[in-house]
Amino acid sequence: HEALVRWQHPERGLVHPAEFIQLAEETGQILKIGEWILGEACRWTTFIGAERDLQIAVNLSARQFNDPQLPKIVARVLRETGLPPRLLELEITESTAMRETDAALRTLQRLKQIGVSIAIDDFGTGYSSLSYLRRFPVDKVKIDRSFVAELPADRDQGAIVSAIVALAHALQIQVVAEGVETEEQREFLRSCGCDFIQGYLTGKPADADSAAKDYV
Ligand code: MN
């Protein structure tokens, strides 16, 4: 599961994060919101039961990732919610990871020491150097949906996707394809060895209570 936030506004109804995360990022509010999301996501996953071994993925914004307090906050939230660290996966985008590579590397190493898993989100859209994938303690890459959209008809996209899978596997990194909507896409991704798929084909976004009903 991946934790996705929505804002239930008293007058405007359900507000999509695209409409408020950018502003929260600019004002710094994201640090508070992000910590709250992290806590809720960990609590939810503890609630459905650690014995299921289901990982929860939580997106970190650039500002959160660059916050020197982040490793401490993550450790405290895990302690308070009782979630085993290996069941938490933190997602950072490729561009965030690439911005200050030395600082990013140190943060990632501290997070790995805590025992959480790390995923690079929107992979393929930034200026990724392949050498950083080897240097960074990364468990998963999530191939951006734009590479998946025209599969399997688009040969170029197909070639990019299978190259990413091969490269990641050579580095012991697992691969998730995002935005998978059709059987044909699933079949293609399976044929090139992609480890996981995410998208409407496997499940639509659901609110936390109904998603929990599948388990408890
Ligand atoms: Mn994500």
Side-chain angles (χ1 to χ4, degrees):
H1 289 275
E2 176 171 354
L4 301 171
V5 67
R6 299 289 185 268
W7 177 16
Q8 183 65 53
H9 189 282
E11 281 133 40
R12 294 170 59 193
L14 211 55
V15 186
H16 199 266
E19 296 181 60
F20 62 90
I21 290 294
Q22 182 58 37
L23 185 64
E25 182 78 3
E26 283 161 21
T27 60
Q29 287 279 66
I30 193 72
L31 294 180
K32 283 253 177 293
I33 297 173
E35 192 175 332
W36 177 80
I37 294 170
L38 183 66
E40 289 300 304
C42 291
R43 226 182 312 282
W44 185 87
T45 312
T46 304
F47 174 70
I48 65 162
E51 72 282 358
R52 291 176 201 279
D53 236 29
L54 270 181
Q55 250 188 357
I56 186 80
V58 177
N59 297 285
L60 294 181
S61 78
R63 199 147 171 166
Q64 277 179 286
F65 182 69
N66 295 323
D67 175 14
Q69 300 301 316
L70 177 72
K72 263 189 212 157
I73 292 171
V74 170
R76 177 169 48 74
V77 168
L78 287 168
R79 207 166 50 239
E80 285 173 359
T81 58
L83 187 70
R86 69 191 159 79
L87 297 186
L88 175 62
E89 180 157 270
L90 296 174
E91 295 188 3
I92 52 167
T93 65
E94 187 178 36
S95 49
T96 301
M98 286 305 291
R99 208 164 297 152
E100 307 255 2
T101 47
D102 288 342
L105 180 58
R106 276 194 303 276
T107 304
L108 290 175
Q109 284 166 343
R110 289 181 64 194
L111 292 170
K112 283 307 293 178
Q113 279 163 11
I114 296 171
V116 301
S117 144
I118 307 287
I120 303 293
D121 210 358
D122 306 340
F123 189 79
T125 55
Y127 298 94
S128 49
S129 95
L130 298 178
S131 68
Y132 94 95
L133 258 195
R134 184 174 58 83
R135 282 206 304 142
F136 280 20
V138 167
D139 300 281
K140 271 183 208 154
V141 294
K142 299 182 75 173
I143 301 178
D144 189 73
R145 56 181 61 246
S146 60
F147 296 103
V148 175
E150 305 303 328
L151 291 181
D154 188 318
R155 297 273 182 106
D156 293 343
Q157 289 196 341
I160 292 170
V161 167
S162 44
I164 294 175
V165 174
L167 169 81
H169 284 175
L171 299 171
Q172 263 72 255
I173 296 171
Q174 291 190 305
V175 184
V176 186
E178 296 190 287
V180 179
E181 294 181 357
T182 70
E183 271 309 331
E184 291 71 29
Q185 290 170 339
R186 192 215 300 257
E187 200 37 60
F188 180 88
L189 290 159
R190 185 185 296 147
S191 74
C192 51
C194 183
D195 304 282
F196 304 99
I197 59 169
Q198 186 176 347
Y200 273 40
L201 191 63
T202 51
K204 294 185 173 56
D207 68 84
D209 288 344
S210 35
K213 284 199 187 91
D214 290 347
Y215 301 101
V216 255

Short mmCIF file of all heavy atoms in Angstrom, two decimals, residues 2-4 57-60 91-93 119-122 142 178 198, ligand 1:
data_model
loop_
_atom_site.label_atom_id
_atom_site.label_comp_id
_atom_site.label_asym_id
_atom_site.label_seq_id
_atom_site.Cartn_x
_atom_site.Cartn_y
_atom_site.Cartn_z
N GLU A 2 0.34 2.29 -0.64
CA GLU A 2 1.01 3.58 -0.59
C GLU A 2 0.04 4.56 0.05
O GLU A 2 -1.14 4.61 -0.30
CB GLU A 2 1.38 4.05 -2.00
CG GLU A 2 2.00 5.45 -2.02
CD GLU A 2 2.58 5.86 -3.39
OE1 GLU A 2 2.58 5.01 -4.31
OE2 GLU A 2 3.00 7.01 -3.53
N ALA A 3 0.54 5.33 1.03
CA ALA A 3 -0.31 6.31 1.71
C ALA A 3 -0.46 7.54 0.81
O ALA A 3 0.51 8.10 0.35
CB ALA A 3 0.33 6.71 3.03
N LEU A 4 -1.71 7.92 0.55
CA LEU A 4 -1.99 9.10 -0.28
C LEU A 4 -2.87 10.02 0.55
O LEU A 4 -3.81 9.57 1.19
CB LEU A 4 -2.72 8.70 -1.56
CG LEU A 4 -2.00 7.70 -2.47
CD1 LEU A 4 -2.93 7.23 -3.58
CD2 LEU A 4 -0.74 8.32 -3.06
N ALA A 57 4.09 2.45 2.03
CA ALA A 57 5.00 3.41 1.39
C ALA A 57 4.50 4.82 1.67
O ALA A 57 3.31 5.11 1.51
CB ALA A 57 5.07 3.15 -0.11
N VAL A 58 5.40 5.68 2.12
CA VAL A 58 5.04 7.06 2.42
C VAL A 58 5.94 7.99 1.59
O VAL A 58 7.16 7.84 1.59
CB VAL A 58 5.21 7.36 3.93
CG1 VAL A 58 4.92 8.83 4.24
CG2 VAL A 58 4.30 6.46 4.76
N ASN A 59 5.31 8.92 0.90
CA ASN A 59 6.06 9.87 0.07
C ASN A 59 6.66 10.97 0.93
O ASN A 59 5.99 11.54 1.79
CB ASN A 59 5.13 10.52 -0.96
CG ASN A 59 4.56 9.51 -1.93
OD1 ASN A 59 5.25 9.05 -2.82
ND2 ASN A 59 3.30 9.14 -1.73
N LEU A 60 7.90 11.30 0.69
CA LEU A 60 8.53 12.42 1.38
C LEU A 60 8.74 13.55 0.38
O LEU A 60 9.21 13.32 -0.74
CB LEU A 60 9.90 12.03 1.94
CG LEU A 60 9.95 10.99 3.05
CD1 LEU A 60 11.39 10.78 3.48
CD2 LEU A 60 9.11 11.43 4.25
N GLU A 91 9.49 7.00 0.22
CA GLU A 91 9.69 7.30 -1.20
C GLU A 91 10.19 8.72 -1.36
O GLU A 91 9.60 9.65 -0.84
CB GLU A 91 8.37 7.17 -1.97
CG GLU A 91 7.81 5.78 -1.99
CD GLU A 91 6.60 5.66 -2.92
OE1 GLU A 91 6.23 6.65 -3.59
OE2 GLU A 91 6.03 4.56 -2.96
N ILE A 92 11.28 8.86 -2.08
CA ILE A 92 11.71 10.21 -2.45
C ILE A 92 11.83 10.23 -3.97
O ILE A 92 12.13 9.21 -4.59
CB ILE A 92 13.06 10.60 -1.82
CG1 ILE A 92 14.12 9.54 -2.08
CG2 ILE A 92 12.92 10.83 -0.32
CD1 ILE A 92 15.51 10.00 -1.76
N THR A 93 11.58 11.40 -4.55
CA THR A 93 11.67 11.45 -6.01
C THR A 93 13.14 11.48 -6.40
O THR A 93 14.01 11.86 -5.62
CB THR A 93 10.97 12.69 -6.59
OG1 THR A 93 11.66 13.84 -6.15
CG2 THR A 93 9.52 12.75 -6.16
N ALA A 119 12.67 3.87 -1.45
CA ALA A 119 12.30 3.76 -2.87
C ALA A 119 12.52 5.10 -3.57
O ALA A 119 12.28 6.15 -3.00
CB ALA A 119 10.84 3.34 -3.00
N ILE A 120 12.99 5.03 -4.80
CA ILE A 120 13.11 6.24 -5.62
C ILE A 120 11.86 6.32 -6.50
O ILE A 120 11.60 5.42 -7.31
CB ILE A 120 14.37 6.20 -6.51
CG1 ILE A 120 15.64 6.03 -5.66
CG2 ILE A 120 14.46 7.47 -7.35
CD1 ILE A 120 15.98 7.20 -4.77
N ASP A 121 11.10 7.39 -6.30
CA ASP A 121 9.82 7.58 -6.95
C ASP A 121 10.00 8.32 -8.27
O ASP A 121 11.00 9.02 -8.46
CB ASP A 121 8.94 8.42 -6.01
CG ASP A 121 7.46 8.11 -6.17
OD1 ASP A 121 7.11 7.27 -7.02
OD2 ASP A 121 6.66 8.70 -5.42
N ASP A 122 9.03 8.18 -9.17
CA ASP A 122 9.05 8.87 -10.47
C ASP A 122 10.36 8.63 -11.20
O ASP A 122 10.92 9.53 -11.83
CB ASP A 122 8.85 10.39 -10.29
CG ASP A 122 7.60 10.74 -9.51
OD1 ASP A 122 6.70 9.89 -9.44
OD2 ASP A 122 7.52 11.86 -8.99
N LYS A 142 10.79 3.11 -8.59
CA LYS A 142 9.43 3.09 -9.13
C LYS A 142 9.45 3.81 -10.47
O LYS A 142 9.64 5.03 -10.54
CB LYS A 142 8.47 3.79 -8.15
CG LYS A 142 8.44 3.08 -6.79
CD LYS A 142 7.47 3.73 -5.83
CE LYS A 142 6.03 3.38 -6.21
NZ LYS A 142 5.07 3.89 -5.17
N GLU A 178 4.69 2.08 -12.14
CA GLU A 178 3.54 2.87 -11.70
C GLU A 178 2.56 3.09 -12.84
O GLU A 178 2.92 3.06 -14.01
CB GLU A 178 4.02 4.25 -11.23
CG GLU A 178 4.91 4.23 -10.02
CD GLU A 178 5.14 5.64 -9.48
OE1 GLU A 178 5.87 6.39 -10.12
OE2 GLU A 178 4.55 5.95 -8.43
N GLN A 198 1.84 -1.22 -9.87
CA GLN A 198 0.95 -0.38 -9.08
C GLN A 198 0.09 0.39 -10.06
O GLN A 198 0.56 0.79 -11.12
CB GLN A 198 1.80 0.57 -8.22
CG GLN A 198 1.01 1.40 -7.25
CD GLN A 198 1.90 2.27 -6.35
OE1 GLN A 198 3.10 2.08 -6.28
NE2 GLN A 198 1.30 3.23 -5.67
MN MN B 1 4.85 7.72 -4.63
#
